[in-house]
Amino acid sequence: MTEMEIALSGYCKKDITSCTYEELYTALLHIVEAESRKRLAPVKGRKLYYISAEFLIGKLLSNNLINLGLYDDVKACLEAHGKSMAELEEAEPEPSLGNGGLGRLAACFLDSVATLNLPGDGIGLRYHCGLFHQNFADNLQNETPDFWLGGHDWARKTDKTYPVSLAGKDYTARLYQIAVTGYEGRTNYLNLFDLDTIDQSIIRDGIQFDKTDIEKNLTLFLYPDDSDDAGRLLRIYQQYLMVSAGAQLILEECLERGSNLHDLYDYAAIQINDTHPSMVIPELIRLLCDKKIDFKEAVEIVTKTCAYTNHTILAEALEKWPKHYLEKVVPQLVPIIEKLDKLARSQANDPATAIIDSNNVVHMAHMDIHFTHSTNGVAALHTEILKNSELNHFYRLYPEKFNNKTNGITFRRWLLKCNPELTAFIESLIGPGFKKDASRLEKLAAFTEDENVLKQLTAIKRDNKAALADWLKHTQNVTVNTDSLFAIQSKRLHEYKRQQLNLLYLIHQYFEIKAGHMPQVPLTAVFGAKAAPAYTIAKDIIHALLVLSKVIAEDPDVSRWLQIVFIENYNVTAAEKMIPACDLSEQISLASKEASGTGNMKFMLNGALTLGTMDGANVEIADAVGDDNIYIFGQSSSQVIRRYGNGSYVAREWYEIDPNIRRAVNFLTGKEMLSGGSSEHLGRLQNELIHKDWFQTLPDFNAYVVRKNQALADYAGNPLNWAKRALINISRAGFFSSDRTIAEYDQDIWHLG
Ligand code: 26Q
């Protein structure tokens, strides 16, 4: 027997062959935890605390096995007993503790911090249902709770608790911990706080619950609907529970390690992930003042210890709270925030940078920039836009605080875990070094003219497409044509990301095919996206895509050439199946709106070509691969910013002048769509496109059609050349490793260890 067989059968107290997958999963969870504890290491010097309302960690078993070097042993052991790794993975529930990019970034960062052997923990919340589960009925999104905490999860209850005062009442936050394993590296923790009093039985009618019953509801869901006052207040309750318990944990650990708090900066680096944890600033000041440190010094200590990352330029996503909300939930912070506002006003003498504005609204981002030592954007273009427009007043005040940290992704999950066949192939060509030093992928450049290599790369892509097709058959009972080009747009549903542009293209193609203008290759357009429950137009876009998908499927003239697949409940697990199977990666946000994007990097690494605008990190991807190896289209960010600035965009003019646009937009409420769709949803979307189109879909429409059709023609016309360009993309993906990103944060901001 191998060591793994002994451990597994010992744990299950029976032969492996007779174990259920549940039993094997539980056994492995404990084996992995024991192994990861061995890699806990004492902290010397400064330790990172990454505070974030979201950690979209995905399933952990395979990932941890890979990082601990146990994956191959376990796989062999299971296979020897007639069991499969894939089925084992299905026994694990996915913790959906995030919405999208920001949460997934936090998860990638924890992986890289541990892999680089840096001391650094996450601080967040233990949501009982996380993000809602999405399913489709009558071509509409339905939301149901996702009870992922079935007893077999990775979060260990501890006996550590912290008192937190919410709206003048005392609550007890309890700490749970998930071990974060580095790849051949150390183990850190993800610290998640919760209340013992949460009651899942108050959920009814999908994801509804009494929003005022804080004791029972506080950590039930990630970002519950914030379309009403009670929802918005709940968000502040959640945030304060996280930062107050988090701040107490940080101070406790630093005191234990010998800090006298005056020197907190020598023990802790606190990274604030967007404005969601911003209240940690006044909370730390409050706690330090309680320990008899004077206000002025407390402000200095906190400013030196904390740093802030901005993830958005959309004004509506920058958190601003009416002061009376804070007076209700966190009255203990209000006098501190008022003092900080006074201080900021005296330092800056610019009302545009005030923390509390003349309407008594508190601007969380303003507090972050004044009272941290670093403000960073998440891609080069994003940081430039922050400096030159959105946050220009602050940039002029504190130019030294602004810096860029282009996002990255962990190659362990987004290559080794999700694409083992490609990983093995790369290893056969250039050795294993790229797993820890992503820049070594550049060595693949030596093979771009090697026909045999290109054919193998094509075969791997075909296998991954077949695997996605099998999974789709099994989960959604749809059959897809694996000889078609797979174009995938997977990300949160938002108008700025422009799934509606893709929709208009698909309608356009429908007409072209009907008219006998066939594309060079059949196209499978794959979508994965959840819409915020209260985001009406986003839900209308989902509806239109689902209805169109059926219109096409039922039309044999068109369905040979075109298919739309909308994947239900898009999450990390689905992404791991979709990304390796993608030929064309859709990154089509309105230039200037997508701060970075990280899906774009995952698709590139897995050998897809990008079809995208010059937005976010697409700009850096285009730089890395060169014009021949990417499909760029659309307005530039400066054109867009100018159009917004002079208010010169009138959607209706584009609709009236361009017959193709008019035909596609009109189709939304034509008889084909209305035969299965709802005139309320489709009419509202059509109206939005003609009369508003805030994200300028129509001006980019023609350029998008031309570029996408060019991609189809290139794919069909010269498959070997396509493979060559895919290989070039992979070879230039090294820069987008989160190991690089974390090394930069450490060097410029954190100075850990
Ligand atoms: C704000 C106020 C009230 C309720 C909710 C929110 C809220 C919630 C989530 C605001 C923003 C978010 C999430 C933002 C996000 O995921 N941003 C993405 O961050 C990625 C990582 O940096 C970038 O790659 C993406 O470009 C950016 O959209």
Side-chain angles (χ1 to χ4, degrees):
M1 287 221 282
T2 65
E3 244 176 83
M4 186 51 72
E5 277 171 323
I6 296 168
L8 258 179
S9 52
Y11 192 90
C12 295
K13 299 198 176 55
K14 56 181 166 181
D15 181 68
I16 297 172
T17 316
S18 54
C19 290
T20 64
Y21 281 109
E22 283 281 327
E23 289 169 331
L24 289 169
Y25 164 67
T26 311
L28 282 165
L29 188 152
H30 288 99
I31 292 169
V32 162
E33 280 183 334
E35 194 57 39
S36 54
R37 269 194 296 275
K38 295 184 194 157
R39 304 182 190 210
L40 289 167
V43 179
K44 294 188 226 70
R46 195 171 292 136
K47 172 176 172 180
L48 166 71
Y49 296 91
Y50 195 87
I51 313 190
S52 174
E54 304 188 19
F55 286 92
L56 191 44
I57 50 183
K59 294 188 183 189
L60 294 177
L61 179 59
S62 287
N63 190 251
N64 282 332
L65 289 172
I66 290 172
N67 283 1
L68 296 170
L70 297 173
Y71 186 86
D72 292 338
D73 287 355
V74 170
K75 186 163 184 277
C77 172
L78 291 180
E79 283 169 2
H81 295 85
K83 308 273 181 195
S84 88
M85 210 60 205
E87 282 184 72
L88 175 68
E89 281 181 14
E90 284 185 22
E92 177 175 358
E94 173 175 331
S96 283
L97 307 183
N99 276 291
L102 166 149
R104 184 54 234 176
L105 185 77
C108 285
F109 279 6
L110 292 186
D111 180 277
S112 285
V113 168
T115 298
L116 296 179
N117 274 313
L118 297 169
D121 288 354
I123 293 178
L125 289 172
R126 178 179 178 263
Y127 305 102
H128 288 232
C129 302
L131 185 62
F132 63 88
H133 183 278
Q134 173 198 56
N135 70 289
F136 300 134
D138 297 329
N139 301 316
L140 295 169
Q141 167 176 293
N142 253 325
E143 300 105 21
T144 55
D146 175 10
F147 298 106
W148 70 282
L149 286 172
H152 299 307
D153 63 273
W154 295 81
R156 291 294 141 260
K157 187 174 183 174
T158 73
D159 51 18
K160 278 206 171 143
T161 60
Y162 301 91
V164 177
S165 167
L166 294 161
K169 235 185 112 189
D170 292 330
Y171 294 80
T172 304
R174 179 178 297 281
L175 174 67
Y176 288 75
Q177 291 188 310
I178 297 181
V180 176
T181 57
Y183 181 70
E184 297 174 358
R186 63 181 280 149
T187 295
N188 290 321
Y189 279 117
L190 170 53
N191 297 303
L192 299 176
F193 291 104
D194 197 3
L195 298 179
D196 290 347
T197 51
I198 301 302
D199 180 358
Q200 301 186 3
S201 74
I202 67 171
I203 304 172
R204 58 195 152 69
D205 304 334
I207 55 169
Q208 305 303 312
F209 59 92
D210 177 356
K211 289 185 188 146
T212 61
D213 195 347
I214 297 305
E215 203 170 299
K216 293 185 177 169
N217 73 21
L218 193 57
T219 50
L220 270 182
F221 289 100
L222 167 73
Y223 297 148
D225 176 8
D226 71 343
S227 57
D228 57 19
D229 276 352
R232 286 190 285 271
L233 284 169
L234 179 49
R235 198 174 153 75
I236 300 177
Y237 280 106
Q238 286 191 332
Q239 292 182 349
Y240 188 66
L241 184 86
M242 169 173 78
V243 303
S244 177
Q248 293 176 66
L249 176 136
I250 293 169
L251 295 185
E252 181 182 274
E253 284 194 0
C254 292
L255 285 167
E256 269 169 20
R257 290 175 46 226
S259 167
N260 58 22
L261 300 186
H262 298 274
D263 57 3
L264 186 67
Y265 168 75
D266 292 328
Y267 291 82
I270 300 175
Q271 192 68 33
I272 299 175
N273 198 27
D274 217 291
T275 52
H276 320 156
S278 298
M279 284 186 287
V280 76
I281 293 171
E283 178 64 2
L284 276 169
I285 294 172
R286 188 182 74 83
L287 293 170
L288 291 174
C289 291
D290 280 356
K291 306 260 187 206
K292 307 286 172 257
I293 293 176
D294 75 50
F295 182 78
K296 189 165 162 280
E297 196 202 355
V299 172
E300 277 167 22
I301 294 170
V302 170
T303 306
K304 272 167 68 177
T305 308
C306 296
Y308 158 65
T309 303
N310 175 288
H311 295 264
T312 186
I313 25 197
L314 293 185
E316 66 267 29
L318 282 177
E319 289 184 301
K320 302 185 270 284
W321 302 114
K323 197 168 84 178
H324 66 89
Y325 280 18
L326 300 181
E327 277 160 351
K328 177 170 167 55
V329 182
V330 286
Q332 63 275 39
L333 292 189
V334 174
I336 297 171
I337 295 173
E338 284 170 343
K339 278 169 102 170
L340 292 177
D341 178 56
K342 279 213 183 72
L343 205 57
R345 283 171 186 274
S346 70
Q347 279 172 18
N349 197 22
D350 175 358
T353 68
I355 297 173
I356 306 176
D357 70 18
S358 54
N359 297 317
N360 261 333
V361 173
V362 182
H363 295 243
M364 306 311 269
H366 296 188
M367 186 167 67
D368 289 320
I369 304 170
H370 286 295
F371 297 107
T372 65
H373 67 282
S374 163
T375 292
N376 76 281
V378 290
L381 174 68
H382 171 58
T383 302
E384 285 311 302
I385 294 174
L386 292 180
K387 293 198 299 196
N388 299 330
S389 36
E390 292 309 304
L391 299 177
N392 181 255
H393 286 265
F394 289 95
Y395 179 56
R396 280 187 291 173
L397 205 53
Y398 309 115
E400 73 290 348
K401 289 192 186 187
F402 281 75
N403 63 98
N404 178 57
K405 294 288 167 285
T406 297
N407 283 167
I409 57 173
T410 166
F411 284 23
R412 269 73 61 184
R413 183 175 292 269
W414 298 111
L415 183 61
L416 277 59
K417 157 73 180 64
C418 76
N419 203 340
E421 209 186 337
L422 180 60
T423 305
F425 183 54
I426 295 174
E427 192 165 345
S428 74
L429 296 174
I430 62 169
F434 67 95
K435 297 177 184 177
K436 282 191 104 168
D437 176 1
S439 68
R440 297 207 191 163
L441 285 177
E442 281 167 24
K443 291 190 190 163
L444 290 171
F447 301 94
T448 51
E449 303 298 333
D450 185 330
E451 204 166 299
N452 185 33
V453 165
L454 299 178
K455 283 187 175 151
Q456 288 187 67
L457 189 64
T458 309
I460 292 169
K461 183 63 79 181
R462 196 180 314 118
D463 288 348
N464 287 328
K465 287 164 80 171
L468 177 63
D470 286 348
W471 183 72
L472 282 169
K473 183 79 201 158
H474 163 72
T475 53
Q476 281 180 235
N477 197 27
V478 295
T479 307
V480 295
N481 172 6
T482 49
D483 290 328
S484 64
L485 180 149
F486 284 17
I488 305 187
Q489 187 172 14
S490 55
K491 47 184 79 256
R492 281 305 290 262
L493 204 313
H494 201 293
E495 285 161 283
Y496 86 79
K497 297 181 186 281
R498 299 199 300 187
Q499 282 93 351
Q500 71 275 28
L501 177 57
N502 200 339
L503 166 74
L504 292 178
Y505 168 86
L506 294 165
I507 297 174
H508 177 80
Q509 281 304 95
Y510 169 88
F511 277 112
E512 292 299 298
I513 295 166
K514 280 293 215 193
H517 306 141
M518 307 311 179
Q520 272 87 341
V521 60
L523 171 67
T524 302
V526 182
F527 291 86
K530 290 181 181 178
Y535 190 171
T536 309
I537 289 287
K539 289 181 142 181
D540 294 340
I541 295 170
I542 292 183
H543 179 68
L545 282 163
L546 291 171
V547 173
L548 181 64
S549 162
K550 295 208 171 117
V551 170
I552 292 170
E554 285 160 15
D555 187 330
D557 297 342
V558 184
S559 61
R560 284 183 47 219
W561 295 101
L562 191 59
Q563 183 178 14
I564 299 176
V565 179
F566 208 128
I567 289 177
E568 238 170 11
N569 198 43
Y570 179 62
N571 58 9
V572 175
T573 308
E576 288 168 14
K577 319 258 184 210
M578 293 158 76
I579 289 167
C582 179
D583 297 306
L584 191 64
S585 154
E586 303 259 10
Q587 307 300 337
I588 61 176
S589 55
L590 175 64
S592 80
K593 297 294 176 189
E594 188 70 270
S596 162
T598 44
N600 46 4
M601 303 168 186
K602 295 165 198 164
F603 284 109
M604 172 196 194
L605 176 62
N606 283 274
L609 268 61
T610 303
L611 170 59
T613 50
M614 280 301 235
D615 200 13
N618 295 354
V619 175
E620 286 154 88
I621 293 178
D623 256 9
V625 301
D627 292 349
D628 291 344
N629 302 305
I630 189 165
Y631 295 92
I632 294 291
F633 72 95
Q635 304 180 81
S636 68
S637 55
S638 42
Q639 281 173 306
V640 171
I641 291 169
R642 215 172 309 125
R643 263 206 176 112
Y644 276 116
N646 60 25
S648 66
Y649 177 57
V650 182
R652 195 171 181 108
E653 291 172 3
W654 293 79
Y655 169 80
E656 276 166 3
I657 280 173
D658 188 314
N660 285 337
I661 291 180
R662 210 164 49 242
R663 180 175 71 169
V665 173
N666 287 348
F667 184 79
L668 286 171
T669 55
K671 64 176 188 317
E672 293 87 351
M673 292 292 281
L674 288 183
S675 74
S678 127
S679 59
E680 183 197 337
H681 291 280
L682 296 169
R684 186 166 45 216
L685 175 58
Q686 183 179 59
N687 194 54
E688 184 81 18
L689 284 169
I690 301 173
H691 299 290
K692 196 163 158 207
D693 190 26
W694 183 248
F695 295 102
Q696 304 180 17
T697 313
L698 306 187
D700 281 347
F701 174 78
N702 279 305
Y704 178 55
V705 171
V706 169
R707 281 313 258 163
K708 193 156 169 175
N709 286 341
Q710 181 66 50
L712 296 188
D714 292 347
Y715 179 87
N718 194 344
L720 218 51
N721 190 247
W722 185 277
K724 172 182 167 176
R725 296 190 298 149
L727 188 62
I728 291 174
N729 269 268
I730 300 169
S731 74
R732 310 271 165 88
F735 178 75
F736 302 102
S737 162
S738 48
D739 297 348
R740 186 270 312 152
T741 314
I742 288 300
E744 287 181 11
Y745 273 94
D746 186 34
Q747 201 163 54
D748 300 344
I749 305 175
W750 301 332
H751 315 293
L752 303 177

